[in-house]
Amino acid sequence: MNIIEGKLGLSGDERVAIISARFNHLITDRLVEGAKDCFLRHGGRDELLDLVLVPGAYEIPFALQRVLSQGEYDGVCCLGAIIRGSTPHFDYVSAESTKGIANVTLKYDAPVTFGVLTTDSIEQAIERAGTKAGNKGFEAMAGLIELLNLYRKLGV
């Protein structure tokens, strides 16, 4: 059986965008740092990495659509932090952000990863932004690097 899978390594000429929500910047700034660290550690070049900032996670799909429609990037890593509060706002924002990112990704058939945290508390978000649970921004970028490699192998 032949196994086709992506490897965790860049050729060095991939142009990548990170789209990050500014809301909950205490968390999202750490996610961006993790994603950038992963990109550089695995062969990416700083001048080929762009950061697109949007107000909140709800706006990520709109920016993603613009970025992908321009065709300038090989892949996009989406980052954000949605933290549950005492109203249903969390449910609406997390659902629409998730659906929007998925729909745009399918429309453009492009490597995109989902690094949007949906947590019940600020403590859980902090844990996922670089403490106990690792850095989910780093992990989202690692997934993107594997996808970029796999797309190359599949001739996409």
Side-chain angles (χ1 to χ4, degrees):
M1 172 171 56
N2 294 317
I3 298 174
I4 304 167
E5 65 180 336
K7 302 293 182 198
L8 193 54
L10 294 164
S11 65
D13 62 351
E14 293 88 352
R15 187 166 182 83
V16 169
I18 297 170
I19 299 176
S20 178
R22 285 192 320 264
F23 199 80
N24 289 319
H25 74 89
L26 174 72
I27 305 302
T28 60
D29 289 352
R30 303 296 81 72
L31 297 175
V32 169
E33 288 172 9
K36 179 181 177 182
D37 180 37
C38 182
F39 182 76
L40 296 175
R41 282 181 192 240
H42 293 97
R45 297 192 340 244
D46 192 48
E47 64 272 12
L48 296 177
L49 181 64
D50 291 336
L51 175 62
V52 178
L53 295 172
V54 296
Y58 183 82
E59 291 79 21
I60 293 172
F62 306 107
L64 179 61
Q65 183 160 305
R66 284 286 187 185
V67 164
L68 291 178
S69 71
Q70 294 169 354
E72 296 178 18
Y73 296 96
D74 298 302
V76 181
C77 179
C78 299
L79 304 174
I82 309 167
I83 302 169
R84 187 180 299 279
S86 57
T87 68
H89 186 256
F90 169 89
D91 299 311
Y92 300 121
V93 173
S94 58
E96 295 308 315
S97 175
T98 303
K99 279 192 292 188
I101 292 168
N103 287 337
V104 173
T105 301
L106 291 171
K107 177 181 177 181
Y108 286 95
D109 189 29
V112 174
T113 53
F114 183 83
V116 178
L117 303 180
T118 53
T119 62
D120 289 322
S121 67
I122 187 76
E123 292 80 16
Q124 288 178 347
I126 291 169
E127 286 175 3
R128 287 156 180 77
T131 61
K132 282 191 220 175
N135 186 305
K136 299 305 179 185
F138 190 100
E139 291 177 19
M141 183 59 77
L144 181 62
I145 292 168
E146 285 191 41
L147 274 178
L148 288 167
N149 191 279
L150 178 62
Y151 270 49
R152 228 181 356 263
K153 287 181 179 179
L154 294 174
V156 180

